[in-house]
Each structure stands twice: as C-alpha cells, then as structure tokens.
Amino acid sequence: MEENKTLTKHSPGYGIYILVWLALVTLTALTAAVAGISFGKFSIVVALIIAMVKSYLVLSEFMHLKFEMKAFRVFVVVAILFFLLLIVLLFQNYSYY
Amino acid sequence: MSTENQAVVHVHRDDVGARMGMWLFLLSEFLLFGGLFLMYSVYRYNHQHDFHVAAEGMNIFLGTANTLILLTSSLTMALAIAAMQKGNKILSLTLQIITFLFGVAFLVNKFFEWRAEFRAGNYPGSPILTAKPSGQILYYGLYYTMVGLHGVHVIVGMTIIAFMIRFTIKGIINKDNYVKLENAGLYWHLVDIIWIFLFPLFYLIT
Amino acid sequence: MSNSSIALDGNGKLPSYLIDQGKHKGILAWLLSTDHKRIAILYMIGVLSFFAVGVSLGFLIRLELLTPEGTIVSAQAYNELFTLHGVIMIFIVVIPAIPGIFGNFFLPIMIGAKDVAFPRLNLLSWYLYIIGGTMILLSMVLPGGAADTGWTFYIPYSVRTGTNMVFTLSAVFILGFSSILTGMNFLTTIHRMRAPGMGWFKMPLFAWSLYATGWIQLLATPIVGITLLLVIIERVFGVGLFDPTLGGDPMLFQHMFWMYSHPAVYIIIVPAMGVISEIIPVFAHRTIFGYKFIAYSSIAIAVFGSMVWAHHMFAVGLSNNAEFIFSLLTFLVAIPSAIKVFNWTATLYKGSIELEAPMLYALAFIFLFSIGGLTGIIQGALNVDIYLTDTYFIVGHIHYVIFGGTGMALFAALHYWLPKMFGRMYNKKVAKVAFWHIFVGFNILYFPFLIMGWLGMPRRSYHYLPRFQIYHVISTVGSWVLVAGLLIMFINLLRSLRYGKIITENNIWGGESLEWKVQTPPIAENFEEIPVVTAAPYEYKENDEPVLEKEEII
C-alpha cells in the first residue's frame, strides 16, 4: 500500500530534527531563566505557555503529526479539549465559594 | 461483482492504522497523567504558599539536566527513525542504543535525587514530612506520585526500545518496515512531553 | 481470493468459525484465538457468568430487606453485598457486555472487514477482563473481606477500611485497561477497515454507537484509573493526597471518580441504544427515521456526557456556580437521548410491526429507559435532588436506566443475534413467556424503589423504618418473578445452542446490514470476498426515501 511508504516521501533529513532540538534546548533555558523573575500569578502561565510551545514542537516535528492524516490532529485536539473542559468545570467548584 | 478489494491481501498490513492505534493509546496515557495534573492544579491553587516553600527544596540542577537528557533522547530517537528510513541500519541501531542510555542517565539522576530527599526525611509517611503543613505534604505527595509514575513510563519506554534494538538487529525492523520503531518513538516522545510539563511545575515554582 | 486450503463442508460451503481451522484444536483453539467472533463468545461466557453472580447478590440483598432489622446477614456482610453487586454489575457486566460480545462479533462484519484492527490486543482485552473479574470474585473469599465502601469507593473510608481494598481496586484498574484497549481497537477499526463504499453515513447505527463509546472508553477511563491507583498508593504509602488528615480533599476524589463514572454510564447505554437502532427498523419493516440525527446524537451524548459529572455531588457542598452549571448541563444532556427515543418511535409509526422476542425487548427498553431517563431529569433539579440524594429514588433511577435500558438491550441483542452466531433458533414461545416474566417482575421490583425513595427510604441501608416494609416486600416478590424470567430466558437460549432448530438461511429476520448477508454462522474470514457497498443502511421496500448521503472518508 502506498500509505505504508508515506513517510519516506516526507522523510525529513536529519537537519530539521537538530534544529528542533536546538529550539527545545533554548526554550528550556528560557523557562529556567524566567523562573527567577516574579510575574506573580502569571508565572505559571508563562511556564505553561513555554511548555506548550515545546510540546507542540515535539508533537508536530518529532512525532510527525504534521505529516499524518488530518484525523490524527483532530484526535489530539479532541483529547486536549476534553482535558481543558475537565479543568474549567472542576475549577467552577474551587474558584468560587 | 467487482474484485478490486484493497483489504484482500494475505497479510493485512496497515502502517497508518498501526500508528493510529498508538496515537489513540497515547491519548489515554495523556488523560492518565491528566488526572494527576488536575489534582496538582487544585491542590496548588489551594496551597500556593506551601507549594512554593516545598519547591525551594528541589534540585533545579538535576531537574534541568534531566530535562535536557530527555529532550536529547527524543532527538536521537527521531534521528534513529530517519536513519532507518534511509536504510542506514548501523546508524539507526547506534542512535537507538544512545536513546536507551539517555534513559538510563535519567533514571540514575532520579535515583540520586530521591535518595537525597529520603535522607532529608522527605518521604511519604515520614515523621518529618507529616509534621509539615498539609500543603507541603500534598506537594511531596504529588511529586512522588507524578514523577514516580513518569519514571515507570520511562522504564516501560526503555523496555520497548530494547525490543526495537533486538528487532533492528534481526532485521525485523528494516527500511521497508519500520512502523514498530515509529510507534516506539511515539511512546518515547510522550514520555518526554510529560516531563516537559512536570519540570516547571515542580522545579520552577517562583 | 481463494480459500483453497480450507475444505468445504457437505453443503459445498466454507466451514463456519465454530470449526477449528488453525493450528490449535479444542479448548486452546478458543483461548488463544484472535478471531473476533471467538473472542466475542469468550466475552459472552464471562459476562453472563458474572451476571449470574451479580443477580445472586442482588437476590440476597432483596431477601435481607424483607424485614426492617437484620435477618440473614450481618451489617458488615450487607455492606460487602451491595458493594460487590455494584462493582460486578457495573464494571464486569454492563460496561463490557454489549461492546465485548456484540461489538466484537458484529462490528467487523457490519463494516465489511475480516477482523478488528488489532486482533491480538483484542484477545489481551479479554484476558485482562477475566483477570479483573476473577480478582473481584476472589476478593469475596480472601481474608480481610470484600470491599465494603460501595462501588463508588469514596475516601476517606476507602483508605481507612480494613477490607481487601488494594486487591479490589487493582482489579478495577485492570478492568479499566481492558476497556481502554477495546475502545482503541474499535476506533481504529472503524476509521481504517471499512469496506470500499462503506462511507461513514452508510455504516449501521450500531457501529456509530460503538464509535462514540470508544472515545469515552479511551479518554474517560484513565481518569478513574489514576484515581483508584492513588487510593491504592494512599493505602500503601500514605502520600496524603487522599487522606484528609494530611491535607487530602475528599471532594476532589469525588470529582475525579465521577469524571469517569458519569461518562461510564454512557459507555453503558450508548451501545445499547445502538442495538435498539438496529432492531426497531427490522421488526417494524421501516427505514430508521432520522439516521443522521441518531448518529450525531451518539456523539453529542459522548460530548455532553463528559460535562455533567458533578450532578452526583449536589449534596456534598459544591459552589453555587458549579451547582448551577452542572444542573443546566444535566438537563441538556437529556436532549440527544430524547432525540433517539423520538426517532425510534417515529420509525414504529405506520410500520408493519412484528412482535418477535428481539422487538419485545427493544420496546421494553424504550419504555423502561424513558422512565429511568425522566427520573434522571427530576434528579437534575437541584432543589429536589437535595431530598432525593442517597435515597431509593436514585437506586430506582439507576436500575431503570441500566437494567431497564442496557439490560433489556442485552437480552434483545441475544435474541436477535444469537441465531446468527450459532445457527440455531431458540423456542420463540418460551422466549416470549420469559420476556413477560422479566418485564412484569422488573416493574414490581423497581417501581416501589421510586416511591419509597421519594418517601425518604435511604439507600445502602441495612436497617429501615417499618413504614417502608410493605414496599420492600413487594419489591422482593418482584425480584423472584424477575429471576424466574431470567432463568427461563437463559435456559431457553442455552438449550437452543444444542437442541435448537438449525438455521441455514443468511437473513434470519430480514435485516439489511451486512451481517445478514453472510453465512449463518459466519465463516472464519467473515466474507468470501470483501463486499463493495453501494446501498444505504436500512433500506426497506414499503417506505419513504432511503437515506442516501454523500459519504466522507475521514
């Protein structure tokens, strides 16, 4: 089946992976550096945003999500939305008394 | 009646389906840890000061080192697959072994970290820990559970990679059939992603 | 594609999956088989055996409740009885039953595939199921005693109690893993293995229901998995996360437990609704009304059903905001279910209705599930629920929706599909006698629950006030009628496997989905050649325009 060879067509060279890795290392350094700065309530937001960017890079490039069928990306989005839904609804209980 | 049936082959092979199965399984792993992240968010919200105090005892150096180790191991894993796609068996094998060794390094670091904590008396049920304010107890509870569960997944991932190494040596994984290696890579990357979130949440609380 | 290596039988037909054709023979050919049809039968044996245990526990509970004081068991034993009854019925019977038995057997055939996407994982799912189920049975005899916390395992009691909690919770964890793998398998199967021409909107509605269910199994089960794992960890290591004296939050446990356990009831009911969607058109001889609405409603139930969990917690001190939101969402989640009921009813309208056993159970489903669903709406109202929480009203609701719903659908499916699976017809008259015993017994047993719950009878209660005794007595008598009906039904079905009239025709009932086009019983590969699908599902002759849609291959 041609699909079994899909990734050969899109097979990235080694270079792109090294670039992604450099970005990840940089972002890690950034996270650690920023941790020293006090954003108050927003510190966790900053940390999480950086973590999300890193995750996006891993998902999209290392895990080839951007090369897979659209359905795969839909699956990941569905799971993330489900999780966010849980947090939002859960906090309805804990944020208000 | 047409006889063009793409599913009628002697050996049913569907690499996309195989990867789809792995992706779906990873989503369930995400939700497994997700439950813990939910608890973390609630307990931290309710004990912000205590979490901050407890986190000050964390070894940021080891935490950062481990983050870099896992990120690099993700790189070597992705490179291992790329090498296999290009038919370079030796290179792929080498990279797989390096990935495995990075896993070992991660666990060794974890061992030293936990040993230090245990020696400081910060283990579940210890008199020192139980005497601390409840927010700090919860922090450590979450720390051991989440990092521990993550460690279990590192071990599982390493076991999977060990199998891949064996399959590669035997030629079961080869240039034309490497979906097993891809799936092993997917699992390993998930382990990396979970750590990407654990690191700031436990080590970098300002 | 030739099967020239397999010998044809006396009728010139390929041998059915019941004949051992692989390298194993006898019992091993079943225990090591990755054929989805054999695995389905393995699930059936497991589910029905555990169902018998669950029914017996219920029977004992009803006997005990004949009198307001303790009669036949101690208080401790009573706690274990209702805990085990719940754990077995929920985790080991109604969650796995329809997907495990009929999903496994018929999903691949209905979509024109030879098997599921991951046959070996399928077998693993079954082994995990059996291991988990056996552990629960063992927990009854191991020292320490079976779990006594109720099937909801609330902390702090589940952390403090001296009974076999770690063992029980481990069993439930393993069962959860079985469910996750099944969901993953079915989702991949539906995405990847549909026959040429079998677009999403040509799939039977049973397949749609399994798709929606698969997502809930995949995403929601891990949450209860980690929650129960944490109770185990709490008991063994004392980390404090679920220990209030160390800072643990009992409400957080409840949130996380219900985040799964509410969607779990949709795992329980959605496949059952899929079965009803299959049966009603066939025995009304009409195309199903509103195919797309029913398909989408399955997805809507899965989505909305994930947002209502805290309606199990209205009496424990939620914030005002949370109570309002969850009550509102609870009302909304009833809508897709109602859509299905309307569509089934519309399908019946002007249909040529045949009251065979499958149809009787399907109609019973609609009636009983509607009662259960309506009592659910009542409970969704905050002010009323404060009084109804933890009363027998809730227990009545539970049994109307689960037993009156999924239970009836399970029996309907058995009567509908068993002849196809084994090529034998049961005694139809006896089947109807059994049905009426079950239906009448069911209502005598459970309707009093609604009444006495409304009047204040608490649930899980070993002693009760004498004024409730009359309801309990009526209930218990109802349970005897029900059990008699169950026995008649199962004996009838079991006998048919050996002595029933042999069926040779493919299309036993006049259905239009693919399982009625293959051999009875099916051959090992399901199809001699994978079909190319052109027709929409449920096209019946004397009817409106069939539902032919442009399908999308996702």
Side-chain angles (χ1 to χ4, degrees):
Chain A
M1 267 207 281
E2 274 320 296
E3 280 167 323
N4 291 333
K5 306 277 175 121
T6 306
L7 282 187
T8 318
K9 280 198 300 212
H10 296 284
S11 163
Y14 303 110
I16 185 81
Y17 293 128
I18 313 258
L19 279 176
V20 171
W21 174 76
L22 282 170
L24 289 169
V25 172
T26 310
L27 287 167
T28 306
L30 183 64
T31 309
V34 155
I37 309 171
S38 175
F39 288 106
K41 276 209 181 87
F42 293 103
S43 298
I44 185 160
V45 175
V46 172
L48 284 177
I49 290 180
I50 299 179
M52 286 192 248
V53 172
K54 288 163 82 176
S55 305
Y56 174 79
L57 284 172
V58 173
L59 280 165
S60 160
E61 302 290 339
F62 282 168
M63 296 170 83
H64 300 134
L65 195 54
K66 73 180 192 198
F67 294 128
E68 295 278 12
M69 291 166 63
K70 177 170 135 180
F72 285 53
R73 292 189 285 282
V74 173
F75 293 167
V76 173
V77 168
V78 164
I80 293 175
L81 285 178
F82 176 68
F83 177 70
L84 290 177
L85 187 78
L86 295 178
I87 282 212
V88 166
L89 284 175
L90 181 64
F91 266 83
Q92 290 309 306
N93 183 63
Y94 284 97
S95 324
Y96 303 93
Y97 296 99
Chain B
M1 163 98 126
S2 151
T3 47
E4 43 95 281
N5 308 310
Q6 93 271 18
V8 182
V9 287
H10 283 276
V11 177
H12 174 75
R13 176 180 161 175
D14 179 10
D15 284 4
V16 176
R19 286 198 301 274
M20 182 182 279
M22 178 51 92
W23 271 101
L24 290 174
F25 178 68
L26 292 184
L27 296 183
S28 78
E29 290 275 42
F30 162 54
L31 264 306
L32 187 79
F33 279 92
L36 284 167
F37 280 106
L38 281 177
M39 291 185 73
Y40 175 96
S41 61
V42 170
Y43 282 144
R44 175 163 167 175
Y45 181 79
N46 287 327
H47 300 273
Q48 285 173 45
H49 177 69
D50 280 346
F51 267 51
H52 173 74
V53 169
E56 281 174 348
M58 286 288 116
N59 188 329
I60 297 188
F61 171 71
L62 276 181
T64 315
N66 265 351
T67 309
L68 293 169
I69 287 173
L70 276 187
L71 287 177
T72 315
S73 74
S74 261
L75 169 67
T76 52
M77 192 68 198
L79 291 174
I81 297 172
M84 185 52 75
Q85 286 170 330
K86 296 181 196 299
N88 195 333
K89 174 171 165 172
I90 302 291
L91 180 58
S92 180
L93 200 51
T94 312
L95 288 162
Q96 288 176 45
I97 293 174
I98 294 177
T99 309
F100 184 92
L101 292 174
F102 273 126
V104 174
F106 180 91
L107 292 174
V108 167
N109 276 344
K110 195 55 55 193
F111 167 76
F112 283 118
E113 200 183 340
W114 282 33
R115 192 176 71 164
E117 292 288 353
F118 276 45
R119 283 186 177 160
N122 291 322
Y123 56 88
S126 83
I128 292 181
L129 189 55
T130 345
K132 293 189 177 179
S134 50
Q136 291 187 41
I137 301 177
L138 292 172
Y139 173 91
Y140 276 100
L142 285 165
Y143 170 75
Y144 284 116
T145 318
M146 295 179 81
V147 169
L149 189 64
H150 176 262
V152 167
H153 282 74
V154 170
I155 296 174
V156 170
M158 285 166 62
T159 311
I160 295 175
I161 294 176
F163 272 98
M164 297 306 119
I165 291 172
R166 180 162 177 268
F167 290 151
T168 306
I169 292 174
K170 290 190 147 200
I172 297 173
I173 293 176
N174 53 63
K175 178 176 182 198
D176 297 312
N177 194 340
Y178 51 86
V179 75
K180 285 186 179 50
L181 190 61
E182 285 180 298
N183 278 348
L186 288 176
Y187 190 85
W188 190 254
H189 293 306
L190 180 81
V191 169
D192 185 22
I193 290 180
I194 292 169
W195 184 261
I196 285 175
F197 282 93
L198 288 179
F199 172 55
L201 291 178
F202 281 106
Y203 292 85
L204 302 178
I205 306 181
T206 50
Chain C
M1 160 95 187
S2 75
N3 289 302
S4 51
S5 52
I6 303 174
L8 303 179
D9 69 9
N11 295 323
K13 296 204 289 185
L14 288 169
S16 85
Y17 74 98
L18 292 165
I19 313 286
D20 295 341
Q21 286 155 54
K23 61 178 186 221
H24 299 292
K25 298 279 177 254
I27 190 86
L28 274 185
W30 283 85
L31 291 177
L32 296 178
S33 170
T34 56
D35 180 345
H36 64 101
K37 301 181 286 300
R38 290 196 167 193
I39 295 177
I41 310 262
L42 291 176
Y43 265 105
M44 189 163 71
I45 297 171
V47 167
L48 295 180
S49 307
F50 287 114
F51 180 63
V53 176
V55 169
S56 308
L57 293 171
F59 189 79
L60 276 173
I61 293 174
R62 286 306 335 152
L63 280 182
E64 168 56 54
L65 291 172
L66 275 173
T67 65
E69 303 293 324
T71 319
I72 48 176
V73 296
S74 67
Q76 176 63 27
Y78 186 77
N79 291 349
E80 297 181 13
L81 273 181
F82 68 68
T83 302
L84 283 167
H85 174 76
V87 169
I88 291 177
M89 286 306 202
I90 293 189
F91 292 116
I92 314 181
V93 177
V94 287
I95 284 179
I98 294 178
I101 305 174
F102 300 105
N104 261 319
F105 202 103
F106 289 104
L107 175 65
I109 301 179
M110 279 180 164
I111 60 173
K114 285 184 185 250
D115 208 312
V116 292
F118 305 109
R120 285 173 301 181
L121 276 186
N122 204 8
L123 184 62
L124 176 65
S125 283
W126 181 77
Y127 274 107
L128 292 174
Y129 168 75
I130 292 297
I131 291 172
T134 309
M135 283 172 75
I136 295 295
L137 292 183
L138 278 176
S139 76
M140 294 198 260
V141 297
L142 287 176
D148 58 345
T149 55
W151 77 275
T152 45
F153 306 124
Y154 280 7
I155 66 162
Y157 186 61
S158 57
V159 174
R160 306 257 187 274
T161 178
T163 55
N164 287 322
M165 289 311 298
V166 173
F167 195 65
T168 304
L169 294 172
S170 306
V172 177
F173 185 85
I174 292 172
L175 288 163
F177 204 36
S178 167
S179 190
I180 292 173
L181 289 180
T182 300
M184 181 269 256
N185 219 336
F186 285 0
L187 288 175
T188 312
T189 304
I190 293 173
H191 270 281
R192 297 297 299 167
M193 296 181 70
R194 286 167 287 125
M198 172 70 71
W200 283 84
F201 294 102
K202 293 226 176 88
M203 281 200 311
L205 288 167
F206 185 52
W208 271 101
S209 72
L210 291 171
Y211 185 75
T213 306
W215 276 107
I216 311 176
Q217 285 173 295
L218 190 74
L219 296 183
T221 315
I223 308 230
V224 81
I226 192 66
T227 307
L228 298 181
L229 188 64
L230 283 171
V231 177
I232 295 175
I233 292 176
E234 190 66 57
R235 285 181 70 94
V236 176
F237 294 111
V239 287
L241 294 174
F242 278 147
D243 184 344
T245 60
L246 295 173
D249 184 357
M251 265 187 67
L252 187 56
F253 172 89
Q254 292 189 26
H255 276 293
M256 291 179 64
F257 178 80
W258 288 111
M259 275 179 195
Y260 163 73
S261 299
H262 189 82
V265 314
Y266 297 112
I267 299 176
I268 293 173
I269 201 66
V270 170
M273 291 170 157
V275 169
I276 303 306
S277 294
E278 292 299 318
I279 290 179
I280 298 268
V282 172
F283 292 92
H285 297 98
R286 276 179 57 89
T287 301
I288 192 111
F289 182 88
Y291 169 92
K292 263 198 169 170
F293 270 97
I294 300 186
Y296 285 135
S297 71
S298 296
I299 306 289
I301 291 174
V303 172
F304 277 102
S306 324
M307 305 192 215
V308 299
W309 76 83
H311 67 216
H312 298 266
M313 299 165 63
F314 282 153
V316 302
L318 295 174
S319 71
N320 287 338
N321 247 45
E323 290 188 338
F324 173 78
I325 291 175
F326 281 106
S327 175
L328 175 64
L329 289 167
T330 302
F331 286 123
L332 290 177
V333 79
I335 296 177
S337 298
I339 288 178
K340 287 192 201 255
V341 173
F342 291 146
N343 285 11
W344 292 324
T345 314
T347 308
L348 291 171
Y349 179 62
K350 285 196 179 163
S352 169
I353 298 181
E354 240 185 297
L355 289 177
E356 296 277 13
M359 185 59 152
L360 288 173
Y361 283 109
L363 293 173
F365 174 102
I366 298 178
F367 179 71
L368 297 172
F369 179 74
S370 296
I371 294 180
L374 289 170
T375 54
I377 307 270
I378 295 175
Q379 290 160 200
L382 287 166
N383 47 357
V384 180
D385 193 58
I386 297 296
Y387 291 96
L388 295 178
T389 292
D390 282 343
T391 66
Y392 257 76
F393 193 86
I394 311 294
V395 186
H397 161 76
I398 295 171
H399 287 88
Y400 266 92
V401 280
I402 298 186
F403 197 174
T406 302
M408 294 297 133
L410 176 63
F411 302 155
L414 282 169
H415 287 84
Y416 183 53
W417 276 318
L418 220 58
K420 184 70 185 181
M421 293 159 77
F422 291 100
R424 300 269 191 171
M425 183 51 78
Y426 45 82
N427 184 317
K428 293 185 180 182
K429 284 209 187 71
V430 173
K432 292 187 188 182
V433 168
F435 167 79
W436 285 109
H437 276 81
I438 290 175
F439 183 77
V440 170
F442 179 98
N443 283 295
I444 300 177
L445 166 54
Y446 293 117
F447 201 79
F449 283 24
L450 297 175
I451 301 177
M452 60 173 152
W454 192 264
L455 294 174
M457 168 73 203
R459 69 187 287 195
R460 293 178 176 170
S461 193
Y462 174 70
H463 291 159
Y464 56 82
L465 295 172
R467 60 188 162 104
F468 292 119
Q469 185 171 21
I470 178 66
Y471 300 104
H472 279 292
V473 171
I474 296 173
S475 244
T476 303
V477 171
S479 77
W480 298 338
V481 177
L482 173 63
V483 168
L486 291 174
L487 283 169
I488 300 173
M489 178 182 76
F490 280 118
I491 292 175
N492 185 23
L493 290 174
L494 249 134
R495 280 196 94 247
S496 78
L497 299 187
R498 193 82 180 299
Y499 303 111
K501 179 163 162 291
I502 296 181
I503 303 170
T504 48
E505 69 261 25
N506 293 351
N507 201 340
I508 304 172
W509 305 110
E512 292 296 320
S513 33
L514 284 174
E515 79 267 30
W516 303 112
K517 308 216 189 303
V518 299
Q519 216 169 289
T520 302
I523 61 175
E525 305 263 296
N526 300 336
F527 302 94
E528 295 189 34
E529 277 186 52
I530 298 291
V532 176
V533 176
T534 49
Y538 321 115
E539 275 186 55
Y540 290 102
K541 297 184 186 61
E542 59 270 8
N543 203 353
D544 340 307
E545 332 76 45
V547 182
L548 266 175
E549 302 288 344
K550 216 162 73 100
E551 77 281 2
E552 308 141 31
I553 314 276
I554 300 179

